[in-house]
């Protein structure tokens, strides 16, 4: 199977640059919804069955592969099955939007201290949700360095999220945090960390001459913006949107800015395999 054709000139230029000089290219990928299918319980999320094998084929042929995720870095490593895999010896996972970093070469996670506002919000949220009359089925995911409020299990997830948005943003602001909206979720996390900053720092560290970034949700817009900024500075880039496989519409803000839309994690795995073929992977 060949590589799908990007729909934009900038995307075509980014893809061509990656294939022409893979040793100076960075492939950066979101985890949930991109490498792993979206599931009702985030604790049950796992990488697509073909993801690790596709990454292991591609990683030795490019300058670097990074997973950029809002999850804790160690959790993404476990749920992805990335540790100890031949071919992924130099994989990097930038967790909590870049606040944490796991390097396969050491197997260790490096991270700063947790923002005090996260502990305050964690303690206040249960009573807070009761007081504002949160919809039945609303639940809280503790990510350690952030807290996410999910509405996917409610009767009307989008309406529930919209009604919770203003009070949750006010709660975040009161504790020095910011709110990051997503698909049927709003995450309360420290300011100054996002996927754009994480990706930009990593690309600068690696001296990237080209970049591919793939994501699926609003939290990936900052990474898209970082790639678009680099394009303006002469660094080619390819933006990929992972749409869902179950008929749910893709996040329009992402799909409208993407150079290429693939059919969820399965489509992304196919793209990674095709890239590995194009840049000379054996087998």
């Amino acid at each position: 199977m060949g590589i799908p054709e990007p729909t934009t000139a900038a995307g075509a230029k980014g893809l061509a640059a990656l294939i022409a000089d893979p040793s100076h290219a960075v492939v950066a990928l979101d985890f949930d919804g991109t490498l792993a299918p979206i599931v009702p319980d985030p604790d049950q999320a796992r990488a697509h069955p073909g993801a690790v094998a596709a990454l292991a084929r591609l990683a030795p042929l490019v300058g670097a592969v990074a997973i950029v995720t809002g999850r804790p870095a160690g959790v993404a490593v476990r749920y992805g099955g990335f540790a100890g895999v031949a071919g992924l010896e130099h994989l990097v996972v930038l967790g909590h939007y870049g606040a944490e970093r796991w390097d396969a070469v050491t197997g260790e996670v490096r991270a700063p201290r947790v923002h005090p506002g996260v502990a305050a919000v964690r303690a206040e949220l249960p009573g807070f949700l009761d007081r504002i009359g949160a919809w039945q089925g609303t639940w809280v995911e503790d990510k350690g360095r952030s807290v996410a409020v999910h509405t996917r299990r409610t009767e009307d997830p989008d309406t529930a999220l919209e009604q919770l948005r203003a009070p949750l943003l006010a709660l975040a602001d009161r504790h020095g945090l910011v709110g990051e909206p997503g698909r049927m979720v709003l995450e309360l996390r420290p300011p100054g960390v996002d996927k754009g900053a994480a990706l930009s720092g990593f690309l600068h560290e690696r001296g990237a001459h080209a970049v591919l970034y793939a994501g699926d949700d609003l939290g990936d817009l900052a990474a898209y913006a970082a790639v678009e900024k680099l394009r303006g500075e002469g660094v080619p880039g390819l933006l990929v949107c992972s749409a869902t496989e179950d008929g749910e519409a893709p996040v329009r803000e992402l799909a409208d800015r993407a150079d290429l839309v693939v059919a969820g994690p399965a489509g992304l795995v196919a793209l990674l395999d095709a890239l590995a073929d194009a840049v000379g992977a054996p087998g």
Side-chain angles (χ1 to χ4, degrees):
M1 175 181 173
I3 300 173
E5 191 72 26
T7 58
T8 67
K13 183 178 179 181
L15 176 60
L18 191 159
I19 293 173
D21 187 12
S23 64
H24 290 96
V26 168
V27 174
L29 312 164
D30 169 49
F31 186 73
D32 290 282
T34 303
L35 279 174
I38 295 291
V39 292
D41 182 353
D43 288 340
Q44 300 303 312
R46 297 295 184 269
H48 183 278
V52 170
L55 287 171
R57 291 186 66 217
L58 182 61
L61 302 165
V62 297
V65 172
I67 310 301
V68 188
T69 176
R71 284 187 180 272
V75 171
V77 172
R78 291 197 303 275
Y79 290 3
F82 302 132
V85 176
L88 298 183
E89 292 87 354
H90 297 283
L91 178 72
V92 172
V93 176
L94 303 174
H96 276 303
Y97 304 93
E100 294 184 350
R101 175 170 174 153
W102 176 89
D103 287 88
V105 70
T106 64
E108 297 176 353
V109 174
R110 287 180 286 159
R113 293 175 58 187
V114 178
H115 190 291
V118 174
V121 165
R122 180 186 298 120
E124 187 175 339
L125 256 179
F128 178 84
L129 291 172
D130 286 343
R131 288 195 302 276
I132 66 173
W135 287 51
Q136 184 176 0
T138 299
W139 65 284
V140 177
E141 179 188 7
D142 185 351
K143 294 188 173 184
R145 294 178 178 274
S146 64
V147 182
V149 179
H150 294 263
T151 62
R152 182 175 290 274
R153 298 174 184 169
T154 64
E155 183 179 345
D156 186 343
D158 292 331
T159 300
L161 184 63
E162 190 56 38
Q163 292 182 2
L164 289 172
R165 187 185 305 272
L168 286 175
L169 291 177
L171 174 66
D173 184 65
R174 189 161 71 249
H175 292 288
L177 304 179
V178 296
E180 178 70 45
R183 193 177 296 171
M184 292 173 271
V185 62
L186 196 147
E187 185 171 344
L188 282 58
R189 58 177 175 80
V193 290
D194 61 41
K195 292 183 179 181
L199 180 61
S200 294
F202 186 74
L203 294 174
H204 178 74
E205 171 192 320
R206 295 303 173 107
H209 294 182
V211 57
L212 178 155
Y213 183 81
D216 79 305
D217 208 345
L218 295 175
D220 297 298
L221 286 173
Y224 268 40
V227 172
E228 291 164 344
K229 181 174 185 294
L230 284 170
R231 284 173 169 174
E233 299 169 355
V235 179
L238 175 65
L239 293 171
V240 179
C241 173
S242 172
T244 59
E245 300 167 284
D246 59 4
E248 186 178 318
V251 174
R252 286 261 54 99
E253 294 91 333
L254 221 63
D256 289 347
R257 288 166 66 173
D259 306 305
L260 186 61
V261 177
V262 298
L268 182 71
V269 167
L271 174 62
L272 296 175
D273 272 326
L275 282 171
D277 290 338
V279 299

